Amino acid sequence: MNKKNADITYVDAALHVDLDKLSQSVTENLREIAGNNISLIIGNQCHPEME
């Protein structure tokens, strides 16, 4: 991020057990912060169906 300020938004950690709810939450959060240069960081080690 090269010394830039950033707003970080986390979704509920338990959402990974229901991919539909996870998708809905991520989509809603992205709509709320709509803009340019959005970085999205996703962990994929805890759910076997996530790629």
Side-chain angles (χ1 to χ4, degrees):
M1 301 246 333
N2 199 15
K3 297 183 182 181
K4 294 183 181 179
N5 290 329
D7 292 322
I8 299 174
T9 301
Y10 294 95
V11 296
D12 186 340
L15 290 173
H16 75 281
V17 299
D18 186 329
L19 294 181
D20 290 332
K21 288 183 180 178
L22 176 62
S23 175
Q24 180 180 358
S25 178
V26 170
T27 300
E28 288 174 4
N29 278 283
L30 287 173
R31 284 187 181 134
E32 289 177 15
I33 60 172
N36 295 322
N37 300 318
I38 296 172
S39 297
L40 184 62
I41 301 171
I42 300 172
N44 67 352
Q45 303 249 344
C46 62
H47 197 290
E49 294 181 26
M50 294 182 73
E51 297 179 7

